[in-house]
């Protein structure tokens, strides 16, 4: 049968005329009553109160939760991380610095979640720590969970000593430096020169005069963080090749140990193998 042209026109016209009104109504309802849709963010207003995902917030009726960056929010004169109220935090001056760091006029904070072995790591617990001794006025987030203030540096909210906090900078997750020396997982690398120190990968690093290999020994108790200087390595020509292999113009290394009788160039293969023109490793 032949379609009714007027019906076709009505079908094509209806979405364009009705959709803006429908969207506007949905927006007003969401503003007034909230929405359970997680696309609107982790903080949601439901018929029985405010929630962070499926955790209820202790917020008086009629009080509005204002989401901040990440999992932080304010409600009246209180500050929340997820569903936990941060004791003593000042909502009027509270500022989120990163996924975990925040500060107000009086303090700096580190917030995260953790699981416990006795619970078989099945339950996620929320915790917020006030960073003792931190200078809130100068506290700033850097990168890779590092932060600093005018006098100190911090990793995951814990203070650790450095030679010069003012020039401290992370070089990825493991390495860092200040103007004096280089660091590996918050431990100083003996003999390193900070001003010329660079990270080459997760383990190898160098400065103007030395090459270093650093790793973590998980078998020791307590866990040991180790850094060694590669004797005879030439920083200018030293190159990381991948899978633990590295070489300069004269020799090659595997995980910081020299490969004897390995004359460069060294070609890295698959699953731990490498070769030179005459030998396979």
């Amino acid at each position: 049968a032949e379609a009714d042209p007027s019906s076709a026109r009505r079908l094509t016209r209806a979405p364009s005329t009705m959709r803006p009104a429908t969207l506007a109504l949905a927006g007003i309802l969401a503003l007034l009553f909230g929405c359970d849709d997680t696309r609107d963010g982790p903080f949601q207003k439901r018929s029985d109160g405010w929630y962070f995902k499926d955790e209820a917030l202790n917020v008086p009726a009629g009080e509005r939760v204002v989401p901040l960056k990440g999992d932080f929010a304010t409600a009246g004169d209180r500050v929340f991380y997820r569903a936990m109220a941060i004791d003593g935090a000042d909502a009027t001056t509270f500022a989120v610095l990163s996924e975990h760091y925040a500060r107000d006029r009086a303090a700096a904070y580190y917030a995260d979640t953790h699981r416990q072995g006795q619970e078989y790591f099945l339950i996620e617990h929320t915790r917020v720590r006030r960073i003792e001794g931190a200078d809130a006025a100068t506290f700033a987030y850097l990168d890779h969970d590092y932060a600093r203030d005018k006098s100190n540096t911090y990793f995951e909210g814990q203070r650790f000593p450095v030679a010069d906090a003012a020039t401290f900078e992370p070089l990825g997750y493991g390495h860092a430096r200040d103007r004096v020396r280089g660091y590996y997982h918050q431990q100083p690398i003996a003999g390193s020169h900070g001003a010329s120190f660079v990270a080459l990968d997760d383990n190898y690093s160098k400065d103007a005069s030395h090459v270093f290999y650093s790793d973590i020994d998980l078998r020791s108790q307590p866990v040991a963080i180790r850094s060694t200087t590669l004797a005879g390595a030439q920083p200018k020509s030293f190159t990381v090749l991948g899978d633990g292999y590295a070489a300069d113009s004269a020799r090659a290394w595997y995980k910081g140990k020299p490969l004897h009788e390995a004359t460069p160039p060294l070609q890295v293969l698959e699953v731990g193998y490498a070769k030179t023109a005459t030998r396979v490793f």
Side-chain angles (χ1 to χ4, degrees):
E2 184 177 351
D4 180 0
S6 61
S7 298
R9 285 194 295 272
R10 284 195 299 272
L11 289 173
T12 57
R13 225 178 14 243
S16 63
T17 56
M18 294 177 62
R19 185 173 293 120
T22 303
L23 291 175
L25 178 59
I28 293 171
L29 292 174
L31 179 63
L32 293 176
F33 302 107
C35 178
D36 289 345
D37 193 334
T38 57
R39 290 175 298 178
D40 292 335
F43 291 97
Q44 305 157 24
K45 188 176 189 304
R46 302 179 185 176
S47 58
D48 59 341
W50 281 93
Y51 283 79
F52 174 85
K53 296 182 179 179
D54 290 327
E55 295 181 79
L57 277 70
N58 184 15
V59 175
E63 195 165 87
R64 180 168 179 78
V65 171
V66 180
L68 305 175
K69 295 179 182 178
D71 293 343
F72 293 94
T74 60
D77 60 356
R78 292 191 298 169
V79 180
F80 287 85
Y81 175 70
R82 297 181 161 229
M84 175 184 286
I86 303 178
D87 292 337
D90 179 54
T92 59
T93 60
F94 193 85
V96 180
L97 305 178
S98 74
E99 181 182 356
H100 300 290
Y101 285 101
R103 71 178 186 186
D104 59 22
R105 63 183 177 184
Y109 306 89
Y110 187 83
D112 64 357
T113 61
H114 67 102
R115 299 174 187 267
Q116 298 178 355
Q118 59 266 37
E119 299 169 339
Y120 301 99
F121 303 102
L122 296 175
I123 303 174
E124 188 177 56
H125 298 274
T126 301
R127 61 185 175 189
V128 180
R129 301 196 304 270
R130 184 177 178 134
I131 303 175
E132 294 299 327
D135 180 66
T138 60
F139 195 91
Y141 176 65
L142 298 175
D143 202 358
H144 298 285
D145 243 359
Y146 287 95
R148 73 179 179 206
D149 59 22
K150 64 179 181 180
S151 303
N152 299 292
T153 53
Y154 307 85
F155 179 74
E156 293 183 349
Q158 299 290 343
R159 185 171 58 195
F160 66 97
V162 297
D164 185 58
T167 59
F168 179 86
E169 59 176 324
L171 304 173
Y173 180 74
H175 290 95
R177 71 177 184 183
D178 57 26
R179 65 176 180 83
V180 180
R181 61 177 62 97
Y183 301 86
Y184 183 72
H185 285 280
Q186 302 86 59
Q187 298 297 317
I189 298 177
S192 59
H193 176 243
S196 61
F197 183 85
V198 294
L200 302 177
D201 71 355
D202 290 342
N203 301 102
Y204 287 102
S205 59
K206 69 179 183 179
D207 60 21
S209 304
H210 307 92
V211 178
F212 309 96
Y213 183 84
S214 304
D215 66 356
I216 300 175
D217 185 359
L218 298 176
R219 296 169 297 180
S220 66
Q221 294 295 330
V223 171
I225 298 173
R226 306 175 301 191
S227 294
T228 59
T229 302
L230 276 56
Q234 302 174 17
K236 288 185 178 180
S237 61
F238 192 89
T239 303
V240 171
L241 304 175
D243 290 338
Y245 289 100
D248 60 19
S249 58
R251 59 186 65 80
W253 285 266
Y254 177 70
K255 292 187 176 180
K257 297 180 179 179
L259 284 177
H260 298 293
E261 301 183 26
T263 303
L266 179 73
Q267 180 185 358
V268 176
L269 306 174
E270 297 179 357
V271 292
Y273 288 93
K275 68 178 182 179
T276 63
T278 58
R279 296 184 65 85
V280 175
F281 300 87

Coordinates of all heavy atoms in Angstrom, one line a residue, residues 127-191:
R127 N 39.8 5.4 53.5 CA 40.5 6.0 54.5 C 41.0 7.4 54.1 O 41.3 7.6 52.9 CB 41.7 5.2 55.0 CG 42.7 4.9 53.9 CD 43.8 4.0 54.4 NE 44.7 3.6 53.3 CZ 45.7 2.7 53.3 NH1 45.8 2.0 54.5 NH2 46.4 2.4 52.3
V128 N 41.1 8.3 55.0 CA 41.6 9.7 54.7 C 42.6 10.0 55.8 O 42.2 9.9 57.0 CB 40.5 10.7 54.7 CG1 41.0 12.1 54.4 CG2 39.4 10.4 53.6
R129 N 43.8 10.4 55.4 CA 44.8 10.8 56.4 C 45.1 12.3 56.3 O 45.3 12.8 55.2 CB 46.1 10.0 56.1 CG 46.0 8.5 56.2 CD 47.3 7.8 56.3 NE 48.2 8.2 55.2 CZ 48.3 7.5 54.1 NH1 47.5 6.5 53.8 NH2 49.2 7.9 53.1
R130 N 45.1 12.9 57.5 CA 45.6 14.3 57.5 C 47.2 14.2 57.6 O 47.7 13.5 58.4 CB 45.1 14.9 58.8 CG 45.5 16.4 58.9 CD 44.9 17.0 60.2 NE 45.3 18.4 60.4 CZ 44.4 19.4 60.7 NH1 43.2 19.1 60.8 NH2 44.9 20.6 60.8
I131 N 47.8 14.8 56.7 CA 49.3 14.7 56.5 C 50.0 15.5 57.6 O 50.0 16.8 57.5 CB 49.8 15.1 55.1 CG1 49.0 14.3 54.1 CG2 51.3 15.0 55.0 CD1 49.3 14.7 52.6
E132 N 50.5 14.9 58.6 CA 51.1 15.6 59.7 C 52.3 16.4 59.3 O 53.2 16.0 58.6 CB 51.5 14.6 60.8 CG 50.4 13.8 61.4 CD 49.4 14.7 62.1 OE1 49.9 15.7 62.7 OE2 48.2 14.4 62.2
G133 N 52.3 17.7 59.8 CA 53.4 18.6 59.5 C 53.4 19.2 58.2 O 54.3 20.1 57.9
A134 N 52.5 18.9 57.3 CA 52.4 19.5 56.0 C 52.1 21.0 56.1 O 51.2 21.4 56.9 CB 51.5 18.8 55.1
D135 N 52.7 21.8 55.3 CA 52.4 23.2 55.2 C 51.3 23.4 54.1 O 51.6 23.4 52.9 CB 53.6 24.1 54.9 CG 53.3 25.5 54.8 OD1 53.0 26.1 55.8 OD2 53.4 26.1 53.7
A136 N 50.1 23.7 54.6 CA 48.9 23.7 53.7 C 49.1 24.9 52.6 O 48.7 24.7 51.5 CB 47.6 23.9 54.4
A137 N 49.6 26.0 53.0 CA 49.7 27.1 52.1 C 50.6 26.9 50.9 O 50.3 27.4 49.8 CB 50.2 28.3 52.9
T138 N 51.6 26.0 51.1 CA 52.5 25.8 50.0 C 52.4 24.4 49.4 O 53.2 24.0 48.5 CB 54.0 26.0 50.4 OG1 54.3 25.1 51.5 CG2 54.2 27.5 50.9
F139 N 51.5 23.6 49.9 CA 51.4 22.2 49.5 C 50.9 22.1 48.1 O 49.9 22.7 47.7 CB 50.4 21.4 50.5 CG 50.5 20.0 50.4 CD1 51.4 19.2 51.2 CD2 49.7 19.3 49.4 CE1 51.4 17.8 51.1 CE2 49.8 17.9 49.3 CZ 50.7 17.2 50.1
A140 N 51.6 21.3 47.3 CA 51.2 21.2 45.9 C 51.4 19.8 45.4 O 52.4 19.1 45.8 CB 52.1 22.1 45.0
Y141 N 50.6 19.3 44.5 CA 50.7 18.0 43.9 C 51.7 18.1 42.7 O 51.7 19.1 42.0 CB 49.4 17.5 43.4 CG 49.4 16.2 42.7 CD1 49.8 15.0 43.4 CD2 49.1 16.1 41.3 CE1 49.9 13.8 42.7 CE2 49.2 14.9 40.7 CZ 49.6 13.7 41.4 OH 49.7 12.5 40.7
L142 N 52.5 17.1 42.6 CA 53.5 17.0 41.5 C 53.0 16.1 40.4 O 52.4 16.5 39.4 CB 54.9 16.6 42.0 CG 55.5 17.6 43.0 CD1 56.8 17.1 43.6 CD2 55.7 19.0 42.4
D143 N 53.3 14.8 40.6 CA 52.9 13.8 39.6 C 53.1 12.4 40.2 O 53.9 12.3 41.2 CB 53.6 13.9 38.3 CG 52.9 13.3 37.1 OD1 51.9 12.7 37.3 OD2 53.5 13.4 36.0
H144 N 52.5 11.4 39.7 CA 52.8 10.0 40.1 C 52.7 9.8 41.6 O 53.5 9.1 42.2 CB 54.2 9.6 39.6 CG 54.3 9.6 38.1 ND1 53.7 8.6 37.3 CD2 54.9 10.4 37.2 CE1 54.0 8.8 36.0 NE2 54.6 10.0 36.0
D145 N 51.7 10.5 42.2 CA 51.4 10.4 43.7 C 52.5 11.1 44.5 O 52.5 10.9 45.7 CB 51.3 8.9 44.1 CG 49.8 8.7 44.6 OD1 49.0 9.7 44.7 OD2 49.5 7.6 45.1
Y146 N 53.3 11.9 43.9 CA 54.3 12.7 44.7 C 53.7 14.1 44.9 O 53.0 14.7 44.1 CB 55.6 12.9 43.9 CG 56.5 11.7 43.9 CD1 56.4 10.8 42.8 CD2 57.4 11.4 44.9 CE1 57.3 9.7 42.8 CE2 58.2 10.3 44.9 CZ 58.1 9.4 43.8 OH 58.9 8.3 43.8
A147 N 54.1 14.7 46.1 CA 53.7 16.1 46.4 C 54.8 16.7 47.2 O 55.7 16.0 47.7 CB 52.4 16.1 47.2
R148 N 54.7 18.0 47.4 CA 55.7 18.7 48.2 C 55.1 20.0 48.7 O 54.1 20.5 48.3 CB 57.0 19.0 47.4 CG 56.8 20.2 46.4 CD 58.1 20.4 45.6 NE 57.9 21.5 44.6 CZ 58.6 21.6 43.5 NH1 59.5 20.8 43.2 NH2 58.3 22.7 42.7
D149 N 55.8 20.5 49.8 CA 55.5 21.8 50.3 C 56.8 22.6 50.3 O 57.8 22.2 49.7 CB 54.7 21.8 51.6 CG 55.5 21.1 52.7 OD1 56.7 21.0 52.6 OD2 54.9 20.6 53.7
K150 N 56.9 23.7 51.1 CA 58.1 24.5 51.1 C 59.3 23.8 51.7 O 60.5 24.2 51.4 CB 57.9 25.8 51.8 CG 57.6 25.6 53.3 CD 57.3 27.0 54.0 CE 57.1 26.8 55.5 NZ 56.9 28.1 56.1
S151 N 59.1 22.7 52.5 CA 60.2 22.1 53.2 C 60.3 20.6 53.0 O 61.4 20.0 53.2 CB 60.0 22.4 54.7 OG 60.0 23.8 55.0
N152 N 59.3 19.9 52.5 CA 59.3 18.5 52.5 C 58.6 17.9 51.2 O 57.9 18.6 50.5 CB 58.5 17.9 53.7 CG 59.1 18.4 55.0 OD1 60.2 17.9 55.4 ND2 58.4 19.2 55.8
T153 N 58.9 16.6 51.0 CA 58.3 15.9 49.9 C 57.5 14.7 50.4 O 57.8 14.2 51.5 CB 59.4 15.4 48.9 OG1 60.4 14.7 49.7 CG2 60.1 16.6 48.2
Y154 N 56.6 14.3 49.6 CA 55.6 13.2 50.1 C 55.4 12.3 48.9 O 55.3 12.7 47.8 CB 54.3 13.9 50.5 CG 54.5 14.9 51.6 CD1 54.7 16.3 51.2 CD2 54.4 14.7 52.9 CE1 54.9 17.3 52.1 CE2 54.6 15.7 53.9 CZ 54.8 17.0 53.5 OH 55.0 18.0 54.4
F155 N 55.2 11.0 49.3 CA 54.7 10.0 48.3 C 53.6 9.2 49.0 O 53.7 8.7 50.1 CB 55.9 9.0 48.0 CG 55.4 8.0 47.0 CD1 55.2 8.3 45.7 CD2 55.2 6.7 47.4 CE1 54.8 7.3 44.8 CE2 54.8 5.7 46.5 CZ 54.6 6.0 45.2
E156 N 52.5 9.2 48.3 CA 51.3 8.6 48.8 C 50.9 9.1 50.2 O 50.5 8.4 51.1 CB 51.4 7.0 48.8 CG 51.5 6.4 47.4 CD 51.5 4.9 47.4 OE1 51.7 4.3 48.5 OE2 51.4 4.3 46.3
G157 N 51.2 10.4 50.4 CA 50.8 11.0 51.6 C 51.9 10.9 52.8 O 51.7 11.4 53.8
Q158 N 52.9 10.1 52.5 CA 54.0 9.9 53.5 C 55.2 10.8 53.2 O 55.7 10.8 52.1 CB 54.4 8.4 53.6 CG 53.2 7.5 53.9 CD 52.8 7.6 55.3 OE1 53.5 8.1 56.2 NE2 51.6 7.1 55.6
R159 N 55.7 11.4 54.2 CA 56.9 12.3 54.0 C 58.1 11.4 54.0 O 58.3 10.4 54.6 CB 57.0 13.3 55.2 CG 58.1 14.3 55.1 CD 58.0 15.3 56.1 NE 58.1 14.7 57.5 CZ 57.7 15.4 58.6 NH1 57.3 16.6 58.5 NH2 57.8 14.8 59.8
F160 N 59.0 11.8 53.1 CA 60.3 11.1 53.0 C 61.4 12.2 52.8 O 61.1 13.2 52.2 CB 60.4 10.0 51.9 CG 60.2 10.6 50.5 CD1 61.4 10.8 49.7 CD2 59.0 10.9 50.0 CE1 61.3 11.3 48.4 CE2 58.9 11.4 48.7 CZ 60.0 11.6 47.9
P161 N 62.7 11.9 53.2 CA 63.7 13.0 53.2 C 64.3 13.1 51.8 O 64.5 12.1 51.1 CB 64.7 12.5 54.2 CG 64.5 11.0 54.2 CD 63.1 10.7 54.0
V162 N 64.6 14.3 51.4 CA 65.3 14.6 50.1 C 66.3 15.7 50.5 O 66.2 16.3 51.5 CB 64.4 15.0 49.0 CG1 63.5 13.9 48.6 CG2 63.7 16.3 49.3
A163 N 67.3 15.9 49.6 CA 68.3 16.9 49.8 C 67.8 18.3 49.6 O 68.1 19.2 50.3 CB 69.5 16.7 48.9
D164 N 66.8 18.5 48.6 CA 66.3 19.8 48.4 C 64.9 19.7 47.9 O 64.7 19.4 46.7 CB 67.2 20.5 47.3 CG 66.8 22.0 47.1 OD1 66.8 22.7 48.1 OD2 66.5 22.3 45.9
A165 N 63.9 20.0 48.8 CA 62.5 19.8 48.4 C 62.1 20.8 47.3 O 61.2 20.5 46.5 CB 61.7 20.0 49.7
A166 N 62.7 22.0 47.3 CA 62.2 23.0 46.4 C 62.5 22.6 44.9 O 61.8 23.1 44.0 CB 62.9 24.3 46.7
T167 N 63.5 21.8 44.7 CA 63.8 21.4 43.3 C 63.4 19.9 43.0 O 63.7 19.4 41.9 CB 65.3 21.6 43.0 OG1 66.1 20.8 43.9 CG2 65.7 23.1 43.2
F168 N 62.7 19.3 43.9 CA 62.4 17.9 43.7 C 61.4 17.7 42.6 O 60.4 18.5 42.5 CB 61.8 17.3 45.0 CG 61.4 15.9 44.9 CD1 62.3 14.9 45.1 CD2 60.1 15.5 44.6 CE1 62.0 13.5 45.0 CE2 59.7 14.2 44.4 CZ 60.7 13.2 44.6
E169 N 61.6 16.7 41.8 CA 60.6 16.4 40.7 C 60.6 14.9 40.4 O 61.7 14.3 40.3 CB 61.0 17.2 39.4 CG 62.3 16.9 38.8 CD 62.6 17.6 37.5 OE1 61.6 17.8 36.7 OE2 63.7 18.1 37.3
P170 N 59.4 14.3 40.2 CA 59.4 12.9 39.9 C 59.7 12.7 38.4 O 59.4 13.5 37.5 CB 57.9 12.5 40.1 CG 57.2 13.8 40.1 CD 58.1 14.9 40.5
L171 N 60.4 11.6 38.1 CA 60.7 11.2 36.7 C 60.0 9.9 36.4 O 60.7 8.9 36.2 CB 62.2 11.1 36.6 CG 63.1 12.3 37.0 CD1 64.6 12.0 36.9 CD2 62.8 13.5 36.0
G172 N 58.7 9.9 36.4 CA 58.0 8.6 36.3 C 57.6 8.1 37.7 O 57.8 8.8 38.7
Y173 N 57.2 6.9 37.8 CA 56.7 6.3 39.1 C 57.8 6.0 40.0 O 57.7 6.2 41.2 CB 55.9 5.1 38.8 CG 55.3 4.5 40.1 CD1 54.3 5.0 40.8 CD2 55.9 3.3 40.6 CE1 53.8 4.5 41.9 CE2 55.4 2.7 41.7 CZ 54.3 3.3 42.4 OH 53.9 2.8 43.6
G174 N 58.9 5.5 39.5 CA 60.0 5.0 40.4 C 61.1 6.0 40.6 O 61.6 6.2 41.8
H175 N 61.6 6.7 39.6 CA 62.7 7.6 39.7 C 62.3 9.0 40.0 O 61.1 9.5 39.7 CB 63.5 7.6 38.4 CG 64.3 6.3 38.2 ND1 63.8 5.3 37.4 CD2 65.5 5.9 38.6 CE1 64.7 4.3 37.4 NE2 65.7 4.6 38.1
A176 N 63.2 9.8 40.6 CA 62.9 11.2 40.9 C 64.3 11.9 41.1 O 65.3 11.2 41.1 CB 62.1 11.4 42.1
R177 N 64.3 13.2 41.2 CA 65.6 13.9 41.4 C 65.3 15.2 42.0 O 64.2 15.8 42.0 CB 66.3 14.1 40.0 CG 65.6 15.1 39.1 CD 66.4 15.3 37.9 NE 65.8 16.4 37.0 CZ 66.3 16.7 35.8 NH1 67.3 16.1 35.3 NH2 65.7 17.7 35.1
D178 N 66.4 15.8 42.6 CA 66.4 17.2 43.0 C 67.7 17.7 42.4 O 68.4 17.0 41.7 CB 66.2 17.4 44.5 CG 67.2 16.7 45.3 OD1 68.3 16.4 44.9 OD2 66.9 16.4 46.5
R179 N 68.1 18.9 42.8 CA 69.3 19.5 42.2 C 70.6 18.8 42.8 O 71.7 18.9 42.2 CB 69.4 21.0 42.6 CG 69.6 21.3 44.0 CD 69.8 22.8 44.3 NE 69.9 23.1 45.7 CZ 71.0 23.0 46.4 NH1 72.1 22.6 45.8 NH2 71.1 23.2 47.7
V180 N 70.4 18.0 43.8 CA 71.6 17.3 44.5 C 71.8 15.9 44.0 O 72.9 15.5 43.6 CB 71.5 17.4 46.0 CG1 72.7 16.7 46.7 CG2 71.3 18.8 46.5
R181 N 70.8 15.1 43.9 CA 70.9 13.7 43.6 C 69.7 13.1 43.0 O 68.6 13.7 42.9 CB 71.3 12.9 44.9 CG 70.2 12.9 46.0 CD 70.7 12.0 47.1 NE 71.9 12.5 47.7 CZ 72.0 13.3 48.8 NH1 70.8 13.7 49.4 NH2 73.1 13.6 49.3
G182 N 69.8 11.8 42.5 CA 68.7 11.1 42.0 C 68.1 10.1 43.1 O 68.8 9.8 44.1
Y183 N 66.9 9.7 42.9 CA 66.2 8.8 43.8 C 65.5 7.7 43.1 O 65.1 7.8 41.9 CB 65.2 9.6 44.6 CG 65.7 10.7 45.4 CD1 65.9 12.0 44.8 CD2 66.1 10.6 46.7 CE1 66.4 13.1 45.4 CE2 66.7 11.7 47.4 CZ 66.8 12.9 46.8 OH 67.4 14.0 47.5
Y184 N 65.4 6.5 43.8 CA 64.6 5.4 43.2 C 63.7 4.9 44.3 O 64.2 4.5 45.4 CB 65.6 4.3 42.8 CG 64.8 3.1 42.2 CD1 64.3 3.2 40.9 CD2 64.7 1.9 42.9 CE1 63.6 2.1 40.4 CE2 64.0 0.8 42.3 CZ 63.5 0.9 41.1 OH 62.8 -0.1 40.5
H185 N 62.4 5.0 44.1 CA 61.4 4.7 45.1 C 61.7 5.3 46.4 O 61.8 4.7 47.5 CB 61.2 3.2 45.2 CG 60.5 2.6 44.0 ND1 59.1 2.7 43.9 CD2 60.9 2.0 42.9 CE1 58.7 2.1 42.8 NE2 59.8 1.7 42.2
Q186 N 61.9 6.6 46.4 CA 62.1 7.5 47.6 C 63.5 7.2 48.3 O 63.7 7.8 49.3 CB 61.0 7.4 48.6 CG 59.6 7.7 48.1 CD 58.9 6.5 47.4 OE1 58.7 5.5 48.0 NE2 58.6 6.7 46.1
Q187 N 64.3 6.4 47.7 CA 65.6 6.2 48.3 C 66.7 6.8 47.5 O 66.7 6.8 46.2 CB 65.9 4.7 48.4 CG 65.0 3.9 49.2 CD 65.0 4.3 50.7 OE1 66.1 4.5 51.3 NE2 63.9 4.5 51.3
P188 N 67.7 7.5 48.1 CA 68.7 8.2 47.3 C 69.6 7.2 46.6 O 69.9 6.1 47.1 CB 69.5 9.0 48.4 CG 69.2 8.3 49.6 CD 67.8 7.7 49.5
I189 N 70.1 7.5 45.4 CA 71.0 6.7 44.6 C 72.4 7.2 44.9 O 72.7 8.4 44.5 CB 70.7 6.7 43.1 CG1 69.3 6.2 42.9 CG2 71.7 6.0 42.3 CD1 68.8 6.2 41.4
A190 N 73.2 6.5 45.6 CA 74.5 6.9 46.0 C 75.4 7.3 44.8 O 75.4 6.5 43.8 CB 75.2 5.8 46.8
G191 N 76.0 8.4 44.9 CA 76.9 8.8 43.8 C 76.3 9.5 42.7 O 77.0 9.9 41.7

